Amino acid sequence: MSYEPDLTEPVMPEPPGAPVPVVTPERVLAALALLVPIVAMLWVPSYDKADPAAGGMPFFYWYQLLWVPVSAVFTVAAYLLINRDEKARAAARKAGGAR
């Protein structure tokens, strides 16, 4: 006989002291934010060309220079996501008691 849950029953929250998951959406997004600039720079065939030039500078160079501030934006986003996740973990630990 299989048990079918009663959907009218209230869902009980996790008990205090329940483990905080290691992999969270914030951590996954932070990893992806850090991975994007790395993949973009390691995929050399995508920018190994001279045209289109910008201000007399070949594409190869200005594309790489463009990634300096873009990488900074992705790094700040990753930092903010991890910071948010750490605050949520600290709050969960505090609510669940010291571990």
Side-chain angles (χ1 to χ4, degrees):
M1 177 186 274
S2 66
Y3 171 76
E4 292 190 28
D6 181 10
L7 298 178
T8 60
E9 292 178 17
V11 177
M12 298 299 293
E14 290 188 20
V20 180
V22 175
V23 179
T24 60
E26 288 88 0
R27 287 179 179 248
V28 171
L29 288 174
L32 289 174
L34 293 174
L35 194 63
V36 167
I38 293 169
V39 170
M41 289 292 90
L42 289 178
W43 187 27
V44 177
S46 70
Y47 61 91
D48 187 18
K49 50 190 168 191
D51 290 324
M57 185 182 294
F59 179 75
F60 181 82
Y61 294 114
W62 69 258
Y63 180 81
Q64 290 180 12
L65 288 174
L66 178 70
W67 273 99
V68 173
V70 172
S71 296
V73 169
F74 276 107
T75 303
V76 167
Y79 169 77
L80 293 173
L81 286 165
I82 293 295
N83 195 22
R84 177 177 160 181
D85 184 61
E86 289 298 322
K87 286 181 182 178
R89 286 173 178 276
R93 273 190 233 109
K94 188 175 182 182
R99 291 178 22 127

